[in-house]
Amino acid sequence: MKTRTITGVCYVAVFIGLVVLKWLVPDWGAIGFDVLFCAIAVLGCFELIRACKVFTGPQKVVTFFYCAAAIPLYAVLAYLRDPAGLVPQYAPVFASLILFGLCAIVAAFSFVASFDKASMSSLGYTFLAMIYCGVLPLCLSALNHIGDNSVFAIIFIFVEVMFTDSCAYLLGMALHKKFPRKMAPRVSPNKTLVGGIGGLIGAVAGGVVCYYAFSYWLGALTYSWSFPAVATMILFSVVMGFIVQLGDLFESAIKRKCGIKDMGKLLPGHGGVLDRFDSMLFVSPVVYLMFFLLTLFI
């Protein structure tokens, strides 16, 4: 627990430092998070390939290439966007889709060219790695460049994951003897159903904190007290809490199938990169969609 706490404190300190950099340097401060998310993509890809042990050489190359190139491509085009239209508003998204399509074609070609060595499992894990370690971190980078609300969006995703995980752990530890029913016993024997409920409660609490902080930031406190707004916030927070815990269970399922305890040892007390950021990766598309719509309509 001591090692885990020290690593957690360092992680929070780095996160706060990147938020401050992004806040103080609006034009280029986002590059700090781009570097972090790209590192998560590359290191996570390495962990997944090492754990699964089914990839052929060409499949490793194309997977690493996509995970390493997706975020830099998106970030460069996002920085180059301008009102004159030389780089269109949606160019980063279109370029990312094209890159994924090209890498998918190369993966399909390598499956045919290395037919004797490759398998359907290796092809499936190739696409899984490209999505899990490439597309989902890319959603975090897209959130980093979403516009005026990007700082708050990143804070929101961090707070939701932290509140969900913490409340699930605390309530599960406090009540697991009285309510021992497991959430997914074959995947994660230590996670109880009551802990999962605690995670949903934590997600709602985190959503409340962020929602009213964001309302204060926008100067929309009067609207934020209306019943439809509060009900929408609670519903969205419950969905967030569910997805955060699903991400954690998905990661546990992969480790069970691979017969390992942790994806890596890079983060002492937490395991590997995917062990720490699995929930954040899973929830990133949902938060991106939320703040993208917010950017359009507010």
Side-chain angles (χ1 to χ4, degrees):
M1 180 58 69
K2 180 180 178 181
T3 302
R4 183 180 179 88
T5 301
I6 293 173
T7 303
V9 169
C10 293
Y11 163 63
V12 172
V14 170
F15 177 82
I16 293 175
L18 293 177
V19 168
V20 171
L21 176 64
K22 183 174 173 61
W23 199 300
L24 295 179
V25 189
D27 293 334
W28 295 97
I31 196 170
F33 275 113
D34 286 329
V35 172
L36 173 63
F37 298 149
C38 188
I40 291 172
V42 172
L43 294 173
C45 179
F46 172 77
E47 290 177 353
L48 190 60
I49 289 176
R50 181 179 58 184
C52 295
K53 299 178 182 178
V54 295
F55 292 78
T56 64
Q59 289 171 339
K60 291 179 181 179
V61 172
V62 69
T63 304
F64 265 120
F65 174 78
Y66 177 74
C67 292
I71 290 178
L73 174 65
Y74 187 98
V76 167
L77 292 176
Y79 282 119
L80 292 177
R81 284 181 301 191
D82 62 85
L86 298 178
V87 178
Q89 180 72 18
Y90 296 105
V93 176
F94 292 147
S96 300
L97 289 173
I98 292 171
L99 178 64
F100 183 84
L102 292 174
C103 289
I105 291 172
V106 174
F109 176 78
S110 70
F111 177 69
V112 174
S114 306
F115 184 76
D116 292 334
K117 295 181 179 180
S119 65
M120 290 299 296
S121 294
S122 67
L123 181 62
Y125 275 110
T126 298
F127 283 102
L128 171 65
M130 288 172 61
I131 294 172
Y132 189 23
C133 304
V135 175
L136 295 186
L138 181 61
C139 290
L140 288 172
S141 185
L143 202 63
N144 188 34
H145 293 278
I146 204 167
D148 294 337
N149 301 321
S150 61
V151 174
F152 196 87
I154 292 176
I155 294 174
F156 177 75
I157 196 172
F158 173 82
V159 169
E160 279 290 87
V161 171
M162 182 180 66
F163 270 61
T164 301
D165 287 345
S166 299
C167 289
Y169 175 78
L170 293 174
L171 197 62
M173 287 293 292
L175 300 178
H176 73 280
K177 292 184 179 180
K178 291 184 178 180
F179 303 98
R181 186 178 180 83
K182 305 297 183 181
M183 187 186 304
R186 295 190 63 186
V187 174
S188 185
N190 294 327
K191 287 183 172 59
T192 59
L193 189 59
V194 70
I197 295 173
L200 297 181
I201 295 173
V204 172
V208 168
V209 171
C210 291
Y211 176 72
Y212 284 106
F214 194 42
S215 298
Y216 178 78
W217 188 7
L218 292 176
L221 281 175
T222 301
Y223 167 76
S224 66
W225 285 104
S226 66
F227 175 78
V230 174
T232 301
M233 176 271 297
I234 293 175
L235 178 61
F236 183 79
S237 297
V238 171
V239 173
M240 288 278 291
F242 175 80
I243 296 176
V244 167
Q245 296 182 79
L246 175 63
D248 193 36
L249 289 173
F250 176 77
E251 179 70 13
S252 297
I254 291 178
K255 290 186 287 189
R256 286 281 174 185
K257 288 293 185 180
C258 294
I260 57 176
K261 182 179 182 297
D262 293 318
M263 295 297 288
K265 299 180 180 179
L266 184 63
L267 304 174
H270 293 262
V273 169
L274 293 180
D275 294 306
R276 174 66 269 177
F277 294 101
D278 49 3
S279 298
M280 188 174 288
L281 292 175
F282 254 67
V283 85
S284 59
V286 181
V287 179
Y288 175 76
L289 177 62
M290 172 189 173
F291 276 86
F292 175 75
L293 296 176
L294 195 65
T295 301
L296 289 180
F297 296 111
I298 293 184

